[in-house]
Amino acid sequence: MHVQEWLVTVPAVSIYILVGVVIGLESLGIPLPGEIVLVSSALLASQHGDINPYILGACATAGAIIGDSIGYAIGRKGGRPLLAWLGGKFPKHFSEANIAMAERSFEKWGMWAVFFGRFVALLRIFAGPLAGVLHMPYWKFLIANVFGGILWAGGTTAVVYSVGVVAEAWLKRFSWLGLVLAVAIGLTSMLVLRHRARKATEKSEAERAAAAAPEPVPAP
């Protein structure tokens, strides 16, 4: 069976549940490809008449907001030992460099880091738990969380669905292209953030080395 024909047979309810659960777990702090799942599902909805894009966007938004809120509660209760535990479980995502970069973003931007972090793959994982660890007032976190979740999840669904409808005939011939594009977007954002984190680490190590170096003794 052709991939496209098989996808059409997937029940709509299972797609809604999958999107909500994956995005919720990612927002909670578990590294999962939430953006890839959302983009792929929105593309599928554009070619699958039984999948309602409004319900899909609502499920994605609910998963984002609820997952972030649970992550905030866990971070507030677990504190910094939680970040150390996550670093042991997911060293590539919760490395000291990545945590330091996220902390600087929170210190500089506050609740805006939660809002805009929704659009960045790595910060989506950090936003909830780190906001709790840093004891950001919950009302500030909730406002940024709700508006960021609606704009990211609802906006992504609307844009990708609209593009899929317009390009439906073309996508039928290249049904794998949407998934490849989604993977490329996710990997690119992750590589950019990893590069920035590495540069920040190198800079901080250089500063520590310079501070630890003994001062030159003036010649008599």
Side-chain angles (χ1 to χ4, degrees):
M1 183 182 293
H2 192 273
V3 173
Q4 186 65 27
E5 295 174 351
W6 177 80
L7 288 174
V8 171
T9 66
V10 177
V13 174
S14 64
I15 299 296
Y16 302 146
I17 295 174
L18 175 67
V19 169
V21 169
V22 171
I23 291 178
L25 291 175
E26 182 192 40
S27 302
L28 188 152
I30 300 176
L32 291 175
E35 190 169 51
I36 294 175
V37 170
L38 180 58
V39 170
S40 302
S41 299
L43 280 173
L44 178 60
S46 68
Q47 306 166 60
H48 192 323
D50 292 335
I51 299 178
N52 188 312
Y54 294 102
I55 298 178
L56 180 66
C59 290
T61 301
I65 295 173
I66 294 172
D68 249 8
S69 296
I70 296 174
Y72 175 92
I74 294 174
R76 194 174 182 90
K77 183 176 182 180
R80 292 195 174 275
L82 173 66
L83 297 180
W85 180 83
L86 289 172
K89 294 293 183 180
F90 308 105
K92 292 184 179 180
H93 297 85
F94 288 90
S95 64
E96 292 184 5
N98 289 343
I99 293 174
M101 182 191 67
E103 283 187 309
R104 286 194 297 271
S105 299
F106 271 70
E107 291 171 358
K108 184 176 182 180
W109 302 107
M111 61 188 297
W112 290 108
V114 177
F115 178 83
F116 289 110
R118 174 58 60 185
F119 298 87
V120 181
L122 188 59
L123 289 181
R124 270 200 306 277
I125 303 172
F126 279 111
L130 190 57
V133 170
L134 298 178
H135 291 273
M136 175 182 288
Y138 183 69
W139 69 268
K140 289 185 176 181
F141 171 80
L142 183 61
I143 291 174
N145 179 26
V146 170
F147 283 100
I150 291 174
L151 189 59
W152 174 73
T156 300
T157 302
V159 171
V160 175
Y161 177 82
S162 299
V163 171
V165 170
V166 172
E168 181 177 2
W170 186 62
L171 287 173
K172 282 183 177 178
R173 295 178 57 194
F174 302 96
S175 58
W176 46 267
L177 187 60
L179 180 59
V180 172
L181 180 60
V183 171
I185 292 173
L187 289 177
T188 300
S189 62
M190 182 66 70
L191 290 174
V192 169
L193 280 174
R194 187 174 297 176
H195 174 72
R196 290 180 179 177
R198 185 171 63 252
K199 297 292 286 187
T201 303
E202 293 173 354
K203 182 179 179 181
S204 62
E205 290 177 352
E207 290 175 350
R208 285 198 298 267
E215 296 183 0
V217 179

